[in-house]
Amino acid sequence: MVGIDLGTTNSLVAHFVDGHPEILVNELNEGLTPSAVAVAQDGTLLVGRAAKDRLINAPESGRSFFKRDMGTAASYQFGGRRWTPVECSAVVLREMKRIAELRLGHEVDRAVITVPAYFLDQQRQATVEAAQIAGLKVERLLNEPTAAALAYGHQENPDLSTLLIFDLGGGTFDVTILECFEGVVEVKSSAGESRLGGEDYTDALGEWLRDKTKWKPEDMDAMRWRELVEQAKRDLSTADSTVIIVNGNEVPLSLADFGAATRELTARLRPVVRRCLSDAGITPAHLDGVLLVGGASRMPLIVSALAEDLQQPPSRSLDPDRVVALGAAVQSALIARQAAVRDLVLTDVCPHTLGVAISKQLTPGQIQDGYFSPLIDRNTTVPVSRSDTFHTLHPQQDEILLQVYQGEGRMVKDNQKIGQVRVPGMKSQPGQKRPGEVDVRFTYDMNGILEVEVTILHSGQKVSEVFEQRPGTMSKEEIRDAIARLTPLKVHPRDAPPHRARLERAERLYQDLRSVERSILTALIDQFERALSSQEPAQIRASAEELDSFMSPYFRDEA
Ligand code: AMP
């Protein structure tokens, strides 16, 4: 079993070994694999770095940032067909499985996968489906900040501390407050925004640059432009100013400019932190530490805003890019009950209020519908099971359509519908006890998935419906079809055996050669590697021939 951080921009896989979580690196020796999928001209499916590189030159050939669309009906056209966000995520998860198997040398078929705490039910379901398509059984969906807390709790094991985890990733923002006490990690509260992250800072900086340079979309390729802006943003994480070069013009950019251009975004972070503190019933003075998670939490303007609001500097003891995956690996060990984590216990909370739609009688004869009646309050410790009693509106009513919502609005129109349960058989015989009444039980598990059970009180009959009408939910057949569609894909040319063999042979020869001959060989290997990553068959063939003809005299004996 492994732990996987399926990120908006990058994904990581980790496992637990010798009492510690450890990141498994890909063939490029990188822990971070870009969450990008593309299809090359010859139909090869690319994932990770190769896909990201291809998207720079051919943005229409694939997709990144699909995590933001999980659980929606969105789809993308590339490689000659339509792709859903679930399928794109499945490709990334399958790649993480492959990397793990490569490093561990055995099959990996179970995983703990992290999701933003603020992921709604549909988004969680979509993540489980993506894993199924990738051939992974999800042992647990773990909230990302909780995973960070686990990694921290495992590493530091502090006697008693109340921590605030501030997680600003590429596309999502989460705040969690938890208590670590003698190996018990208890989540007190969590809050967040599912559409706010580092990419929004890049967008805002792009707007600023557009205003400054009067750049028009046709002047420059959109992906290249984004790379440029992204780089400038990153520069400002280690320097007070930088210079952006657009079409030969130098545009100076200071930290203050960046702060002004993104002021509205930073302002949206503050109320979330405040709400999380108030839900936990504490003030900043109670916090023993503030932990940063997510690549975007590196931005100095975020760090200083936090330090000011929380009256203490955030800690950087764990790498914000890796901490979530490490925590997922700790969780996987917890599930497998490995000795080193036997003393670590985790409790989590449900991030949203869950309830049903009800009608109210305002005055006799005047019935108003659309009210939200909560059953499980947000930030209740999970697993949790709560029930409440409801009744029909009319004595003759034979059916209840129980509509399930999540959210914080008083009216259901302001909340998100997650499903409905049809309850027939409500009409009772005269004389029966509790006519027209139902007991509705909500059970919310550690994966953040809700089950609803309705008991008709006069008959004792139960309906425990899995939700209907959940947008984006796939049937068993659909999952099977999706697996079939992804199966015949080809491998990356770099991994094709003849190319691997050629490179290995070149490497061997390199060790034997010196000076000029060595330089020529180096140039030819570089050229071949460039051709492989370009994925263009003609280029690959030409550079392979050149390399072979240079090498063949040296291997004449072997042939
Ligand atoms: P994650 O989803 O955690 O991988 O976060 C990725 C986000 O972090 C992207 O929006 C990146 O632009 C941003 N990011 C990564 N490194 C830095 C950095 N050094 N400075 C500012 N933002 C960064």
Side-chain angles (χ1 to χ4, degrees):
M1 199 190 326
V2 291
I4 298 177
D5 171 6
L6 180 62
T8 308
T9 33
N10 294 297
S11 294
L12 297 97
V13 57
H15 77 140
F16 198 86
V17 61
D18 296 337
H20 295 284
E22 187 183 87
I23 300 286
L24 298 167
V25 296
N26 59 25
E27 280 102 332
L28 304 169
N29 239 339
E30 291 168 347
L32 276 72
T33 296
S35 303
V37 176
V39 174
Q41 271 169 348
D42 67 350
T44 306
L45 181 70
L46 307 174
V47 53
R49 172 73 47 203
K52 191 177 175 189
D53 287 347
R54 178 153 174 83
L55 286 175
I56 292 171
N57 293 320
E60 70 299 330
S61 69
R63 190 76 193 190
S64 50
F65 302 119
F66 34 81
K67 181 173 172 180
R68 283 184 167 188
D69 294 331
M70 287 292 269
T72 70
S75 69
Y76 329 111
Q77 178 73 36
F78 62 86
R81 72 166 176 93
R82 291 208 79 77
W83 294 71
T84 63
V86 168
E87 286 177 305
C88 293
S89 298
V91 173
V92 173
L93 285 172
R94 198 176 56 172
E95 176 71 358
M96 304 324 287
K97 173 175 151 80
R98 192 189 64 78
I99 293 167
E101 289 174 346
L102 181 83
R103 293 295 168 219
L104 300 176
H106 56 74
E107 203 200 338
V108 171
D109 58 2
R110 296 185 301 153
V112 170
I113 300 180
T114 59
V115 289
Y118 256 67
F119 251 21
L120 300 165
D121 191 67
Q122 291 95 300
Q123 295 162 302
R124 289 170 192 268
Q125 289 289 348
T127 308
V128 172
E129 282 159 9
Q132 281 176 305
I133 297 170
L136 286 168
K137 177 170 182 291
V138 178
E139 289 291 339
R140 176 74 50 88
L141 288 181
L142 183 63
N143 289 338
E144 286 163 10
T146 311
L150 266 181
Y152 185 77
H154 179 77
Q155 189 205 22
E156 312 273 318
N157 216 359
D159 289 339
L160 170 64
S161 37
T162 303
L163 299 174
L164 183 142
I165 314 259
F166 181 95
D167 178 359
L168 190 62
T172 54
F173 171 50
D174 280 310
V175 182
T176 304
I177 292 171
L178 44 98
E179 234 164 55
C180 303
F181 175 66
E182 289 181 349
V184 176
V185 180
E186 184 179 358
V187 180
K188 292 303 211 184
S189 64
S190 72
E193 259 205 55
S194 60
R195 283 184 171 267
L196 177 60
E199 296 310 305
D200 298 299
Y201 280 81
T202 308
D203 287 342
L205 184 56
E207 285 298 318
W208 177 88
L209 188 60
R210 210 162 288 193
D211 288 346
K212 263 258 163 333
T213 59
K214 305 290 171 244
W215 172 85
K216 287 187 293 315
E218 54 272 26
D219 294 346
M220 200 178 184
D221 175 71
M223 282 304 261
R224 279 196 198 288
W225 166 267
R226 202 174 173 81
E227 286 279 294
L228 202 66
V229 176
E230 170 76 23
Q231 192 51 51
K233 178 182 86 169
R234 288 181 187 230
D235 289 348
L236 289 180
S237 291
T238 47
D240 290 344
S241 66
T242 183
V243 174
I244 310 178
I245 301 170
V246 192
N247 295 343
N249 302 314
E250 291 189 359
V251 185
L253 168 70
S254 70
L255 210 47
D257 296 329
F258 183 48
T262 57
R263 187 165 294 135
E264 280 174 22
L265 294 172
T266 308
R268 281 165 64 195
L269 302 170
R270 290 197 151 119
V272 179
V273 174
R274 240 178 285 138
R275 204 183 86 196
C276 198
L277 283 164
S278 85
D279 278 2
I282 60 169
T283 65
H286 289 99
L287 293 173
D288 298 310
V290 177
L291 191 69
L292 298 176
V293 181
S297 70
R298 289 208 175 88
M299 291 184 286
L301 56 98
I302 304 277
V303 178
S304 56
L306 254 185
E308 190 186 314
D309 286 5
L310 301 175
Q311 299 143 34
Q312 60 183 295
S315 145
R316 295 160 172 270
S317 70
L318 286 170
D319 178 349
D321 287 324
R322 283 157 212 267
V323 57
V324 169
L326 294 174
V330 173
Q331 177 67 52
S332 76
L334 275 173
I335 291 171
R337 286 193 211 297
Q338 291 196 10
V341 288
R342 201 163 285 153
D343 299 331
L344 204 57
V345 180
L346 171 73
T347 67
D348 207 340
V349 294
C350 84
H352 310 275
T353 301
L354 297 161
V356 295
I358 56 162
S359 301
K360 285 186 185 176
Q361 188 162 28
L362 301 178
T363 55
Q366 194 202 351
I367 289 170
Q368 177 75 47
D369 62 10
Y371 290 93
F372 181 54
S373 178
L375 269 110
I376 297 178
D377 281 329
R378 76 159 185 269
N379 288 325
T380 304
T381 303
V382 291
V384 57
S385 189
R386 294 273 159 82
S387 68
D388 201 353
T389 308
F390 299 92
H391 58 80
T392 50
L393 281 171
H394 316 283
Q396 291 311 307
Q397 190 177 333
D398 192 42
E399 186 177 275
I400 294 178
L401 186 63
L402 190 78
Q403 312 210 49
V404 179
Y405 283 84
Q406 64 187 2
E408 310 310 321
R410 192 174 66 93
M411 306 302 289
V412 292
K413 69 170 171 39
D414 300 320
N415 296 334
Q416 172 124 17
K417 183 167 173 180
I418 50 181
Q420 58 185 21
V421 185
R422 201 170 281 283
V423 189
M426 287 307 301
K427 226 187 295 175
S428 58
Q429 301 302 319
Q432 267 179 334
K433 277 197 191 135
R434 313 192 71 170
E437 283 191 337
V438 287
D439 175 86
V440 176
R441 176 164 290 280
F442 275 24
T443 305
Y444 192 83
D445 70 8
M446 287 295 278
N447 293 325
I449 288 171
L450 176 72
E451 276 188 57
V452 177
E453 185 182 72
V454 185
T455 309
I456 302 169
L457 292 177
H458 73 252
S459 65
Q461 212 180 324
K462 286 185 196 299
V463 187
S464 72
E465 188 65 72
V466 192
F467 299 170
E468 292 163 10
Q469 293 186 5
R470 208 176 307 164
T473 301
M474 298 165 88
S475 67
K476 288 227 161 52
E477 293 72 45
E478 285 170 319
I479 288 176
R480 213 178 306 131
D481 290 350
I483 294 173
R485 251 182 303 172
L486 294 188
T487 311
L489 294 164
K490 302 179 211 160
V491 293
H492 191 289
R494 194 184 47 234
D495 300 323
H499 295 153
R500 277 245 165 275
R502 180 174 288 113
L503 278 173
E504 250 139 41
R505 176 178 261 216
E507 228 115 53
R508 252 167 67 207
L509 179 60
Y510 179 88
Q511 294 180 7
D512 295 336
L513 299 183
R514 282 158 35 113
S515 79
V516 181
E517 286 176 308
R518 196 175 225 190
S519 316
I520 297 171
L521 179 62
T522 306
L524 288 171
I525 297 175
D526 288 352
Q527 176 181 300
F528 181 56
E529 283 191 320
R530 269 198 304 277
L532 286 179
S533 64
S534 81
Q535 311 272 327
E536 300 306 341
Q539 216 177 317
I540 296 175
R541 219 175 304 120
S543 58
E545 272 167 23
E546 259 186 87
L547 183 57
D548 286 352
S549 71
F550 176 82
M551 293 198 297
S552 62
Y554 299 96
F555 290 100
R556 208 156 273 152
D557 291 347
E558 279 185 28

